[in-house]
Amino acid sequence: MLQKELSLIFQGQTRMMHGVMVSVTRTKVSPDLSVCTAYLSVFPSEKAEEIVANVNANTKTIRYELGTRIRNQVRIIPELRFFVDDSLDYIDRIDELLKG
């Protein structure tokens, strides 16, 4: 549920930024549900660090928006942590090495 809602939030935010797409590839939640770690895939990947830094700077706003969406389904709104998911770049690099 957290992954879906975060994806919708980012989808709405990135509509304003032409040529940039952010998707939530996976989320991990701590056993006590107090911390949610989200991995973001950014296209184009050259802007990944910049976008994730911007997202981390706006974590409070994102958490508030998430809270307004899921407040009736969960007891506490988890603290959010965002990281770059570079697994697609890693896969592309392996493909290049195998082809070359």
Side-chain angles (χ1 to χ4, degrees), residues 34-73:
S34 65
V35 178
C36 173
T37 304
Y39 294 90
L40 305 178
S41 177
V42 180
F43 179 81
S45 59
E46 298 82 40
K47 294 186 177 185
E49 294 297 328
E50 175 190 343
I51 297 289
V52 172
N54 191 11
V55 165
N56 281 318
N58 294 304
T59 300
K60 288 183 181 180
T61 308
I62 296 167
R63 184 177 182 204
Y64 174 78
E65 190 168 338
L66 179 67
T68 59
R69 291 169 175 252
I70 66 169
R71 67 176 175 256
N72 296 328
Q73 285 109 348

Side-chain angles (χ1 to χ4, degrees), residues 15-32:
R15 267 198 195 112
M16 296 172 253
M17 301 170 57
H18 298 290
V20 177
M21 187 172 77
V22 178
S23 59
V24 181
T25 54
R26 64 187 160 151
T27 55
K28 291 182 183 178
V29 182
S30 64
D32 63 352

